[in-house]
Amino acid sequence: MKGVAILGATGSIGASARAVLRQHPNRFHAVALTAHRNAGALRELVAELHPSLAVIADAPVPGDLPPGRTEWRSGRQALLDAATHPDADIVINALVGAAGLEPTLAALRAGKRVALANKESLVCGGPLVLEAARRGGGELTPVDSEHSAILQCLSGTRAEDVRRLVLTASGGPFRAWPLERIGAVTPADALRHPTWNMGSKVTIDSATLANKALEVIEAHFLFGVGYDRIEAVVHPQSIIHSMVETVDGSVLAQMGFPTMEIPVLYALTYPERLPYEARRYDPVAGGPLTFEAVDTARFPAFALGFQAGRAGGTAPAVFNAANEVAVAEFLAGRCTFPCIAEAIADALDRWPNGPVDTLDDVLAADGWARRATNDFLNQLAPCS
């Protein structure tokens, strides 16, 4: 039986992971669970899954815990201890944002398989993550549906036979809105995703297509493919999760109704497969399938992220941090939807890019971008 640590157990990926564990209780068991601040939700999960360690990353441990075998801890070191738990064979990193990088590095250095839903780990610290896996003997398996699809399509395909990767994007809720209406978008509008049920940060990123830019950068590091051979296409039905074109012109696609449970399961079992009860794909009910080019005038954050990926170094970390700050401000009602891309552009324009040699390089770029983005947004009332 494999021991599993779930970082971010109370979020949407955590819910999918718990569903997987319930269907295969003889193959997987939870040894560590973490939450950001939601102690109440974590308490319920502890009562269900009985891990040996429960961690509240950014809040104190509740004072009225019932007796039990679960140790409760809080803080950064406790989170890292969950990521390196001696009984964890697999670490599901479902943390949100750049905060997921350090636990990814720690788990890989400890030789764990990291089922990675925290794309920011590779976006901000790709070279560090790959080096940690090499030195520590750890392994990365993707949880994002797009990268899981690519991993499945690459099965049996030599690296030199890959011509290009094509990531699909739903286009979010504003794909067909007139451009003049985008400035009036509210957080409630942006949180109404047409096909996926995700946390608020990822849902806003899907509405701006910043999420797809992050996934392009992630794919570059995961699969060792240059940016000139990675593309994105809007696919509103979210049935085809990504495609791989080979040098002979064949195109391989992984398909299915939207669910994160199947990618989570595959990340745990790769390269094997286990039976799983989920909604089976019906090609009649799932059709017709349509595709559109990414409109960078409608989705400027996508173009900015692609630009940051090509620039390399610390530019992707700056892109990510500026986006995180701007999305938080938009959700709080303190800036407009177009402000998100404007703030990212400002940060990238002003950052003197440099290499990623150490974690401190990433943290310096991240900290600078957060301060610069806050300053930029505070000067605008409101953004245009």
Side-chain angles (χ1 to χ4, degrees), residues 364-377:
D366 180 272
W368 178 90
R370 291 177 190 278
R371 294 188 297 273
T373 303
N374 274 314
D375 291 344
F376 175 82
L377 293 175

Side-chain angles (χ1 to χ4, degrees), residues 342-361:
E342 293 176 21
I344 295 169
D346 176 77
L348 288 173
D349 283 346
R350 293 194 288 127
W351 173 247
N353 197 17
V356 174
D357 294 324
T358 67
L359 180 59
D360 285 343
D361 295 331

Side-chain angles (χ1 to χ4, degrees), residues 284-365:
V284 175
L289 305 182
T290 62
F291 303 91
E292 305 165 9
V294 174
D295 181 354
T296 54
R298 182 179 300 275
F299 300 113
F302 173 79
L304 291 166
F306 215 120
Q307 167 193 326
R310 286 184 179 277
T314 50
V318 169
F319 170 82
N320 178 73
N323 180 62
E324 284 189 26
V325 170
V327 167
E329 292 296 291
F330 169 70
L331 285 170
R334 292 192 288 265
C335 77
T336 65
F337 188 75
C339 251
I340 297 173
E342 293 176 21
I344 295 169
D346 176 77
L348 288 173
D349 283 346
R350 293 194 288 127
W351 173 247
N353 197 17
V356 174
D357 294 324
T358 67
L359 180 59
D360 285 343
D361 295 331
V362 176
L363 297 177

Side-chain angles (χ1 to χ4, degrees), residues 105 108-109 125-137:
L105 294 174
L108 291 171
R109 288 167 180 157
L128 303 179
V129 171
L130 298 183
E131 179 66 8
R134 187 184 69 81
R135 286 182 175 273

Side-chain angles (χ1 to χ4, degrees), residues 7-8 34-35 55 57 73-84 95 99 103:
L7 314 184
T34 82
V55 174
R73 295 175 56 195
S74 66
R76 168 184 167 276
Q77 185 57 52
L79 181 62
L80 296 178
D81 289 344
T84 57
L95 299 174

Side-chain angles (χ1 to χ4, degrees), residues 54-340:
V55 174
I56 300 289
D58 195 29
V61 171
D64 57 347
L65 294 171
R69 69 179 184 86
T70 299
E71 176 189 6
W72 283 75
R73 295 175 56 195
S74 66
R76 168 184 167 276
Q77 185 57 52
L79 181 62
L80 296 178
D81 289 344
T84 57
H85 195 285
D87 295 332
D89 302 288
I90 305 169
V91 178
I92 300 175
N93 188 344
L95 299 174
V96 176
L101 172 58
E102 196 173 7
T104 292
L105 294 174
L108 291 171
R109 288 167 180 157
K112 310 295 186 183
R113 167 177 285 193
V114 176
L116 189 65
N118 176 258
K119 58 180 66 66
E120 292 87 354
S121 289
L122 282 167
V123 169
C124 297
L128 303 179
V129 171
L130 298 183
E131 179 66 8
R134 187 184 69 81
R135 286 182 175 273
E139 178 187 17
L140 282 171
T141 54
V143 168
D144 280 341
S145 62
E146 296 82 359
H147 303 92
S148 177
I150 292 170
L151 181 64
Q152 294 179 60
C153 291
L154 287 174
S155 178
T157 300
R158 299 179 304 172
E160 60 267 30
D161 291 335
V162 175
R163 177 175 288 164
R164 63 175 174 150
L165 310 180
V166 181
L167 282 71
T168 57
S170 70
F174 310 127
R175 177 180 60 86
W177 278 37
L179 284 175
E180 59 269 19
R181 289 185 59 196
I182 299 297
V185 161
T186 68
D189 294 328
L191 290 170
R192 295 191 192 102
H193 196 280
T195 55
W196 290 96
N197 180 20
M198 305 174 289
S200 58
K201 162 63 166 56
V202 180
T203 303
I204 301 304
D205 284 351
S206 181
T208 64
L209 250 66
N211 199 45
K212 206 54 49 181
L214 295 172
E215 289 170 4
V216 166
I217 299 170
E218 183 181 10
H220 166 73
F221 286 108
L222 274 174
F223 304 113
V225 174
Y227 288 102
D228 58 335
R229 295 193 290 134
I230 306 175
E231 300 177 11
V233 63
V234 173
H235 170 50
Q237 296 80 24
S238 297
I239 296 294
I240 292 178
H241 301 299
S242 278
M243 296 175 272
V244 172
E245 182 183 17
T246 56
V247 292
D248 63 0
S250 297
V251 177
L252 310 174
Q254 190 267 337
M255 306 170 66
F257 290 122
T259 176
M260 288 307 300
E261 293 172 25
I262 293 173
V264 168
L265 177 64
Y266 194 65
L268 298 182
T269 64
Y270 171 80
E272 300 176 357
R273 295 184 185 270
L274 287 179
Y276 197 73
E277 292 298 322
R279 183 185 178 191
R280 296 182 63 185
Y281 178 59
D282 179 344
V284 175
L289 305 182
T290 62
F291 303 91
E292 305 165 9
V294 174
D295 181 354
T296 54
R298 182 179 300 275
F299 300 113
F302 173 79
L304 291 166
F306 215 120
Q307 167 193 326
R310 286 184 179 277
T314 50
V318 169
F319 170 82
N320 178 73
N323 180 62
E324 284 189 26
V325 170
V327 167
E329 292 296 291
F330 169 70
L331 285 170
R334 292 192 288 265
C335 77
T336 65
F337 188 75
C339 251
I340 297 173

